[in-house]
Amino acid sequence: METVRVSASREYDVIIGTGILDTAGERIKAIKKPCRVCVVSDDTVFALYGERLRKSLENSGFSVCEFVFPHGEESKSLENFGKIQEFCAENSITRTDLIVALGGGVTGDLAGFAAASYLRGVDFVGIPTTVLSMVDSSVGGKTAVNLKAGKNLCGAFYQPILVLADCDTLGTLPHETFCEGCAEIIKYGMILDGEFLEFLQDNSISDNIEKVVKRCVEIKRDVVNRDEFENGDRKLLNFGHTIGHAVEKCSNLKISHGNAVAIGMVIAARGAYKTGLISEDFTKILLPVLKANDLPTECEFSADELYRAALSDKKRSLDTISLIVPEKFGLCKIVKVSVEELETFIELGLK
C-alpha cells in the first residue's frame, strides 16, 4: 500500500494498492463523518463493483444512492451533467454530503464537475478503475464535460478529498483498455522523468503496475502542487493532447482518448523535429515503447481535418496555440505556434 499526498488548494491523499475497494467506507469515514453519498458510475463498472462499494459505505454508516449512466465518452455531456444535478436534488444531497466517482476518466470528469457545481460545491471522492484514470485524470482536480465543439470545454478545477486507487480493479479491464492507459504513463516519462522512461523501455507495465501508478501520481502531484490552475508547467501534461483531442473529434469519439494521445504524441514529436523546433527526432524513442504496449502510432485523418478540429482546443489563445514537444530524453517544453503554422506542423507530423 502506497500513499501520495497532494498539496493543492485542498490537501488530500491518493492511496494506491490492492484490496482497497472493500475498505473504501472506513477510509472515507476516517476523514468525513457518515453522511448521504451519491455514487456516480457507468453501467459496466457499476455491475462489477457497485454493490461492493455500497456494502462498504453502508457498513461504515453512510447512506447511499446511485446514479448510473451508459458507459462511453458520449456520456460525458451537459445532458448527463444536468441529470446528476437533478438526481442529487431529488435525493436530498446537501452541502455536507458526498459524491463518489466509481469508474474511469469519463466518470471522474463528469462526477467531479457535478460535485464542483452542485450547491456551489460538495465533497468529492475518486475511486478510479482504469489505468488512465488512476495515473492521470483522478489526480489534480480537472473536471469537465465535452461540448460539440470539442473535449473538456465546460468544466472546473475542483480537487477531491480522497482518491482510492485499487489496482485489483484493473484485472477486469479488456486488453485494449489497459493499453490505452499506458499512453498516459509513457507521456509522464517523456515530459519529466528520463529514468522512468528508461524503466518503461525495459520493463512490463502490467507486471509493475503499482510501482508505475505511484510514480505517475508523484509526477502529477509535483506538477499540480506548482501550478494547480495550468498557468505554466502543468501545460506539460498536455503532451499529445492537442492533436489527440483532434483525433478523437475527427473519429466522432470512436478512437479512445489513450489511443488518440499516443497518435498525438507521435505527430507532435515528428512535427517538432521536421519544423526545426527541436534538433532530435524523438519518434525513435516513442515508437518502440508505444508499439510494445499495443498502442497506435499512425493516423487516418488528413492534416486539414486535424487542423480544423484542433482550432477549438482550450489551449488556443487568440492567434496562437501552445504545443508540448520533446526537448531532451525525458524532458518536454512548451512552445507557442501561430494557428497558421499549426496545419504545417500537423502535416509534417503525419509523414
Side-chain angles (χ1 to χ4, degrees):
M1 198 79 64
E2 302 282 356
T3 300
V4 178
R5 184 74 170 172
V6 180
S7 298
S9 54
R10 169 186 277 160
E11 291 195 357
Y12 58 95
D13 288 332
V14 181
I15 301 174
I16 304 157
T18 57
I20 294 174
L21 183 64
D22 294 320
T23 64
E26 60 189 81
R27 292 181 186 279
I28 296 170
K29 187 178 180 180
I31 62 170
K32 187 174 179 70
K33 61 184 180 182
C35 61
R36 186 85 168 136
V37 177
C38 176
V39 174
V40 178
S41 188
D42 72 39
D43 49 7
T44 299
V45 174
F46 188 82
L48 291 168
Y49 303 117
E51 289 306 316
R52 286 172 58 189
L53 178 59
R54 170 190 273 273
K55 182 179 178 181
S56 178
L57 289 166
E58 290 181 340
N59 285 346
S60 293
F62 293 93
S63 173
V64 181
C65 60
E66 293 127 350
F67 180 90
V68 181
F69 62 90
H71 65 276
E73 184 74 28
E74 296 86 353
S75 286
K76 204 169 87 171
S77 64
L78 283 171
E79 179 183 6
N80 278 323
F81 167 77
K83 287 180 178 179
I84 295 174
Q85 303 287 309
E86 295 289 357
F87 182 84
C88 286
E90 290 165 4
N91 284 274
S92 303
I93 300 296
T94 71
R95 292 189 74 180
T96 59
D97 292 326
L98 180 67
I99 290 177
V100 174
L102 174 67
V106 169
T107 300
D109 280 2
L110 181 60
F113 186 35
S117 305
Y118 181 70
L119 299 179
R120 298 188 178 92
V122 297
D123 284 344
F124 167 56
V125 169
I127 305 181
T129 61
T130 65
V131 177
L132 192 151
S133 58
M134 284 187 191
V135 303
D136 192 67
S137 59
S138 66
V139 180
K142 276 190 176 182
T143 69
V145 295
N146 303 332
L147 301 181
K148 291 180 181 179
K151 285 211 26 156
N152 301 327
L153 295 181
C154 181
F157 289 95
Y158 194 68
Q159 302 292 343
I161 62 170
L162 180 68
V163 176
L164 302 173
D166 187 340
C167 294
D168 284 340
T169 62
L170 303 180
T172 57
L173 292 179
H175 176 71
E176 183 179 275
T177 305
F178 186 97
C179 289
E180 69 175 88
C182 294
E184 296 284 0
I185 292 169
I186 294 163
K187 176 198 76 176
Y188 281 111
M190 287 291 298
I191 63 172
L192 281 170
D193 193 338
E195 184 177 341
F196 183 52
L197 183 57
E198 285 184 350
F199 177 85
L200 297 177
Q201 290 176 314
D202 299 333
N203 295 273
S204 162
I205 290 176
S206 59
D207 291 344
N208 298 275
I209 191 61
E210 287 185 50
K211 176 179 180 177
V212 167
V213 171
K214 180 182 182 235
R215 184 61 193 132
C216 290
V217 171
E218 287 173 336
I219 294 171
K220 187 161 190 181
R221 180 269 316 273
D222 293 343
V223 172
V224 170
N225 285 354
R226 293 194 304 268
D227 180 25
E228 180 175 356
F229 300 108
E230 202 173 61
N231 295 312
D233 282 357
R234 188 166 181 171
K235 293 178 182 179
L236 292 170
L237 299 173
N238 292 316
F239 179 46
H241 283 61
T242 294
I243 299 169
H245 286 165
V247 170
E248 287 181 83
K249 185 176 180 181
C250 289
S251 74
N252 292 317
L253 303 180
K254 291 179 181 177
I255 296 177
S256 69
H257 177 71
N259 287 336
V261 167
I263 294 167
M265 287 192 291
V266 173
I267 295 173
R270 187 183 291 125
Y273 174 65
K274 290 193 172 183
T275 56
L277 289 173
I278 57 177
S279 59
E280 185 176 351
D281 182 4
F282 285 95
T283 58
K284 64 185 180 184
I285 295 167
L286 260 176
L287 292 175
V289 70
L290 290 172
K291 289 177 180 178
N293 287 282
D294 293 335
L295 286 160
T297 59
E298 297 180 355
C299 181
E300 62 186 270
F301 304 111
S302 69
D304 181 66
E305 289 173 306
L306 294 175
Y307 167 72
R308 292 181 184 279
L311 289 181
S312 63
D313 191 274
K314 60 186 180 296
K315 292 172 287 299
R316 179 182 174 185
S317 177
L318 298 177
D319 294 328
T320 64
I321 192 164
S322 294
L323 296 176
I324 315 305
V325 301
E327 182 177 24
K328 299 177 182 177
F329 184 88
L331 183 65
C332 283
K333 64 179 180 179
I334 305 166
V335 298
K336 286 188 176 182
V337 300
S338 69
V339 291
E340 291 81 8
E341 295 170 314
L342 180 62
E343 185 169 13
T344 300
F345 181 96
I346 295 173
E347 186 174 3
L348 293 174
L350 285 170
K351 299 176 181 177

